[in-house]
Amino acid sequence: MYVLVTGGAGFIGSHSVEALLKIGARVRVLDNFSTGKRQNLPSHPNLEILSGDIQDVKDISHAVANVTHILHLAAQVSVQDSLVHPTKSCSINIQGFVNVLEAARKHQVDRMVYASSAAVYGYPQQLPIAEDDAVHPISPYGLEKSVNDQYADLFHSLFNCSMLGVRYFNVYGPRQDPKSPYAGVISKFIHFIEQQQPLTVFGDGSQTRDFVFVSDVAKANVAALRSDATGVCHVATGTSRSLLDMIQVLSTCIGRELQVIHQDAQAGDIPHSAAHVEKLAQALGVQCSTRFEDGLRILLKEVLGSKG
Ligand code: NAD
Ligand code: UD1
């Protein structure tokens, strides 16, 4: 496999690049380094890093030359930014997506896997959520990901392009930037612990999420590239945990009680999220099996080192 990874210098991208190099694939990264970092990537004889933008057709054409597969992860990833700057978000997440899709078709790549998101569902109609449940996006970001799914489906039926959308739930792990105000709750909490600050919980902390460790996500991406599954597929553990539960695990890992401040629940916050993961197991043969306790311990060790 010769894989183009767009957004390969980012959080999920860099772990996916490592997983691909490990199975002997050749990898080319295309990234504009807006949130990704070069230091997230190793030096490796099978890895080439291109600086470029998915909004620029020339950059993509150049990047896609000779590759057999595409893992498309580059995106404007902030839901909040998509609400504040919907035009910019649309340009990256829809126009940019179509640019990559069209390059995949023109260059007749064998397969394309792209990042969809649980954000397409908005407030879940029922739990656990199944892939064929109705989508009700409640942000431009969620809508853009849902439009990506429709484009991919159409290109599959019109042009027989082999593609799969991987719908990640709440991914956590090393290299998730905690400094952004929109960072995932786990990276924020670990940053607060590092700074010896109290953890801020919005609401009573009973909200639940399917937190999936990034190495498992990388493993799913590799399996998705190697499979011929189409449509969309959840990438999640199948088990959801509450924030209070997560804080308890963090507290046990570091061996002391953590100070918690409660603030009002945020507008638009989803109380519970849970995923069906049968397709992931059956079509991709993947189980996101890293225990929550182990994932948090690995992350704490990475961030706090001996300080923990
Ligand atoms: P990230 O910000 O770490 O990675 C995104 C990467 O894309 C970065 O390296 C960034 O520099 C690059 N990029 C952004 N705009 C670009 C452009 N115009 N041209 C080229 N490169 C560009 O975020 P992530 O969490 O690794 O997200 C990867 C993908 O997974 C995204 O598509 C995101 O929407 C999706 N996703 C993430 C989560 C999660 O929990 N992290 C959940 C659901 C979906
Ligand atoms: C994720 C997206 C969010 C999007 C939603 C759609 C990220 C970082 N967030 O949100 O933008 O709308 O998917 O499905 O990708 N929390 C705290 N304290 C904090 C931070 C968060 O209590 O300091 C709470 C939140 O209110 C939420 C939970 O933790 O209830 C999880 O938050 P987050 O990590 O942002 O993920 P989602 O809410 O699932």
Side-chain angles (χ1 to χ4, degrees):
M1 271 201 289
Y2 186 3
V3 189
L4 168 64
V5 183
T6 71
F11 167 49
I12 296 172
S14 60
H15 287 274
S16 303
V17 167
E18 276 175 10
L20 284 165
L21 292 171
K22 219 175 255 176
I23 61 157
R26 261 180 91 184
V27 181
R28 182 183 284 154
V29 163
L30 176 70
D31 203 296
N32 71 353
F33 301 98
S34 51
T35 57
K37 299 185 188 83
R38 270 177 200 276
Q39 63 264 33
N40 283 344
L41 290 167
S43 300
H44 193 286
N46 282 351
L47 173 63
E48 181 189 4
I49 302 169
L50 303 180
S51 178
D53 201 302
I54 57 163
Q55 293 168 100
D56 185 329
V57 174
K58 278 198 279 17
D59 285 354
I60 301 168
S61 266
H62 177 57
V64 86
N66 303 321
V67 304
T68 56
H69 293 67
I70 298 177
L71 177 60
H72 174 52
L73 303 175
Q76 185 298 106
V77 301
S78 161
V79 172
Q80 278 74 9
D81 271 3
S82 80
L83 291 156
V84 180
H85 304 292
T87 311
K88 180 180 154 219
S89 193
C90 172
S91 173
I92 300 169
N93 289 354
I94 297 186
Q95 185 65 61
F97 179 83
V98 176
N99 290 344
V100 176
L101 197 58
E102 178 59 354
R105 182 178 79 89
K106 268 195 188 152
H107 289 261
Q108 297 182 317
V109 301
D110 295 340
R111 181 153 172 84
M112 171 165 154
V113 170
Y114 67 92
S116 181
S117 169
V120 299
Y121 297 113
Y123 302 106
Q125 309 290 299
Q126 55 178 36
L127 293 171
I129 308 167
E131 280 90 348
D132 54 7
D133 284 356
V135 297
H136 291 285
I138 51 171
S139 65
Y141 171 83
L143 178 64
E144 289 150 12
K145 291 291 183 181
S146 178
V147 170
N148 288 183
D149 295 335
Q150 292 181 54
Y151 260 109
D153 198 36
L154 189 68
F155 267 53
H156 173 61
S157 22
L158 289 179
F159 309 120
N160 204 25
C161 297
S162 167
M163 48 187 69
L164 180 72
V166 272
R167 274 190 189 154
Y168 309 135
F169 278 64
N170 291 64
V171 188
Y172 73 101
R175 299 181 211 142
Q176 189 172 36
D177 186 359
K179 302 231 170 67
S180 150
Y182 312 125
V185 65
I186 292 181
S187 63
K188 277 179 85 174
F189 279 5
I190 290 184
H191 183 65
F192 289 144
I193 294 171
E194 191 187 13
Q195 301 295 308
Q196 308 206 338
Q197 287 172 7
L199 313 184
T200 308
V201 170
F202 302 129
D204 64 6
S206 64
Q207 60 266 54
T208 57
R209 294 291 185 272
D210 190 321
F211 294 109
V212 56
F213 193 59
V214 68
S215 309
D216 289 333
V217 173
K219 184 172 74 174
N221 287 340
V222 172
L225 286 164
R226 288 171 138 174
S227 83
D228 57 7
T230 56
V232 290
C233 181
H234 287 167
V235 176
T237 66
T239 306
S240 296
R241 311 286 288 243
S242 72
L243 290 201
L244 293 182
D245 191 13
M246 184 249 288
I247 292 167
Q248 191 50 53
V249 176
L250 286 173
S251 170
T252 306
C253 289
I254 61 173
R256 65 179 160 85
E257 277 305 302
L258 293 165
Q259 204 194 336
V260 172
I261 296 173
H262 287 269
Q263 287 187 1
D264 288 346
Q266 292 190 306
D269 207 355
I270 291 161
H272 300 291
S273 172
H276 261 295
V277 289
E278 282 68 18
K279 183 166 178 181
L280 180 66
Q282 279 157 25
L284 301 190
V286 169
Q287 254 191 318
C288 293
S289 53
T290 303
R291 287 173 62 241
F292 194 42
E293 290 72 8
D294 294 338
L296 289 180
R297 208 166 273 126
I298 293 167
L299 182 54
L300 278 166
K301 195 163 171 223
E302 182 93 10
V303 177
L304 303 181
S306 56
K307 281 189 281 177

